[in-house]
Amino acid sequence: MTRSLFNALNVLKVFGAALVVASHYAGQYFGISFYSYGTGCFFVVTGYYALNWERSRGTYYVMKRLVRLYPAFLLAVLAYLITQGIDFSEWPRLIGHHLTFLLTTPDRATAFALNPPFWSLPVFFTFFVLIALLPRFIPKGWQVLLMIFLAGGALYLELPQWREGYIELWAFPLHLYAFWLGGWLGHRAHHQPRKQHVGHSWVAGVLTVVIVVCGFFHPELTNMLFWGESFLYRGGMVLLYGALLWAVIHSPWLVHEIPVLTFLGTISFGIYLFHNLPVYWFSSVAGGLGVLISLGISLLLAWLSWHFFEQPLQKWCKPRLAKLYASKEKT
C-alpha cells in the first residue's frame, strides 16, 4: 500500500469518526441536531479493505477481525457498565449480549443500552463472516446495484420493523451495499491506471462541505428528497462517502506522511467506542468547553486503549494465529 493511499484511507476513517462524534456532541452540548450518518463512511472504508487488500478467508480471517475488534470493544463495554452505574443484576445479561456483538439482543433497547454506536458492530461482524465464507472474487458494479435493490425491497416489505428494528443490526440485506460499494470503487481505482489530479482534491473538499451541510439539514433533506424515510437519507449519504473515497484516493495532496493523520487513523476505532464516556461525566458543561473537554478525554482514552491494551494483544495474537493456521494448512 502506497503512502498516499494509506493517508487517503486515514482521512476517511478520521472524517467518519469526527462525524459520529459530532452527531452525539451537537445535541448534548449545543442542543442542535446533526446527523450525517458517519457510520456509513466506516462501512465504505471497511468494504474497501476487505474486498481488495484482504487475502485470507475462512476462520483465520474471522479470528483476525476478532483480534482487532474484541479487545477494545470489551474494554469499552466494561467502562460503560461502570460509568453508567448499571445495577449488577443487569451485568450478566448485558455482557452476554455484547459478547455476541449484540447478535442475540431481543430488541433495540438492549443494543443501545450502553453506547448507541455499538449498534453497528453486529453489522460489521456479519459482513466479516460473510466475507470469510466466500472465495476471493472481484466486486462488480451490478452487485452494488443489486444490493441497493435488495435494501429497497427490505424497506418495502417493512422488514426493519421486525422485532423493533432488530434486523437492521445485520449487514444483509440493509447495509451490505455500502461495503460492496467501497470494494467496487477500490477495485476500479487500483486495477486501472490511477491518475492523481489536483481537481480530485477540490472535489473532495466540496464533498466534505456538502456532507457536513447535509448533517445540519438532515430533517429537511429527508422530507424533501427521501420521502421522510431515514434509511433512504442514509443511503444517499453512503453514495456521497463513496464519491469522497474516489476523490480522496486520487488526490495528490496526500503523498507525504502526515503524522497527526496517521495517529488519529490508528486510534479512530477507539474514538468511535469511547467518545460517549465523557458525556456522562461532563453532561452539565454546555457549549464549546464541554466539547473540548470530552474530545480531549476521548482521544486520551482511545490512545490508552490502543497503546496499552489493543496493540500488545495484537502483537501477541497475530503471529500465533498465523502460525496456527499455517500448520493447519500443511496438515
Side-chain angles (χ1 to χ4, degrees):
M1 184 181 293
T2 64
R3 170 57 60 183
S4 61
L5 179 57
F6 179 75
N7 288 336
L9 295 176
N10 275 334
V11 164
L12 267 294
K13 289 193 294 183
V14 173
F15 185 50
L19 292 173
V20 171
V21 172
S23 67
H24 293 108
Y25 285 5
Q28 175 63 41
Y29 294 113
F30 296 102
I32 60 176
S33 178
F34 178 88
Y35 182 64
S36 56
Y37 192 50
T39 305
C41 188
F42 283 104
F43 287 167
V44 172
V45 172
T46 300
Y48 170 89
Y49 273 118
L51 298 177
N52 287 283
W53 291 98
E54 183 59 57
R55 296 292 180 264
S56 59
R57 288 292 186 267
T59 54
Y60 179 43
Y61 173 71
V62 175
M63 291 304 297
K64 287 199 301 181
R65 294 297 90 207
L66 286 176
V67 167
R68 175 65 186 98
L69 297 177
Y70 233 179
F73 173 56
L74 295 182
L75 183 65
V77 167
L78 180 61
Y80 281 100
L81 281 169
I82 295 173
T83 301
Q84 293 190 30
I86 294 176
D87 190 274
F88 282 113
S89 63
E90 286 291 304
W91 281 41
R93 181 182 68 87
L94 290 174
I95 291 175
H97 289 307
H98 283 76
L99 285 174
T100 63
F101 282 112
L102 298 171
L103 291 171
T104 60
T105 55
D107 49 42
R108 289 175 65 88
T110 304
F112 285 78
L114 297 183
N115 183 29
F118 285 171
W119 77 267
S120 64
L121 288 173
V123 180
F124 282 106
F125 187 70
T126 53
F127 172 71
F128 294 145
V129 171
L130 179 61
I131 294 300
L133 295 175
L134 293 173
R136 290 191 59 211
F137 60 93
I138 297 174
K140 304 289 188 179
W142 66 265
Q143 296 169 349
V144 178
L145 289 175
L146 174 62
M147 291 168 190
I148 290 176
F149 281 116
L150 286 173
L155 287 176
Y156 179 77
L157 296 174
E158 298 184 349
L159 292 182
Q161 307 303 319
W162 181 67
R163 290 179 64 186
E164 300 182 26
Y166 175 71
I167 198 170
E168 191 171 344
L169 301 181
W170 294 73
F172 186 83
L174 287 176
H175 301 282
L176 201 56
Y177 74 94
F179 295 102
W180 240 257
L181 176 63
W184 174 60
L185 290 175
H187 176 77
R188 286 184 60 84
H190 304 300
H191 291 80
Q192 296 178 1
R194 185 157 62 98
K195 298 180 181 179
Q196 293 181 325
H197 189 275
V198 68
H200 288 104
S201 301
W202 291 108
V203 170
V206 170
L207 286 171
T208 299
V209 173
V210 169
I211 289 169
V212 173
V213 170
C214 287
F216 281 108
F217 294 97
H218 68 95
E220 294 83 357
L221 290 173
T222 301
N223 291 326
M224 290 174 56
L225 301 179
F226 301 103
W227 302 280
E229 176 55 60
S230 175
F231 186 83
L232 293 180
Y233 167 76
R234 286 182 281 167
M237 297 307 296
V238 166
L239 296 180
L240 287 179
Y241 293 130
L244 180 62
L245 171 65
W246 183 266
V248 168
I249 61 181
H250 287 86
S251 170
W253 290 358
L254 298 172
V255 174
H256 304 291
E257 182 176 2
I258 307 174
V260 173
L261 185 63
T262 302
F263 169 73
L264 292 175
T266 300
I267 66 171
S268 59
F269 182 55
I271 297 172
Y272 187 76
L273 292 176
F274 292 104
H275 71 272
N276 273 329
L277 267 180
V279 172
Y280 294 102
W281 303 326
F282 300 99
S283 58
S284 60
V285 182
L289 179 60
V291 171
L292 288 176
I293 294 174
S294 295
L295 187 58
I297 294 176
S298 300
L299 292 172
L300 177 61
L301 291 174
W303 177 79
L304 289 173
S305 173
W306 169 254
H307 187 73
F308 293 104
F309 194 60
E310 300 169 65
Q311 189 179 39
L313 282 176
Q314 288 186 47
K315 286 183 177 180
W316 188 87
C317 291
K318 281 187 175 180
R320 287 165 174 78
L321 278 177
K323 184 177 179 180
L324 173 64
Y325 283 96
S327 64
K328 286 185 177 181
E329 289 181 359
K330 290 180 180 179
T331 57

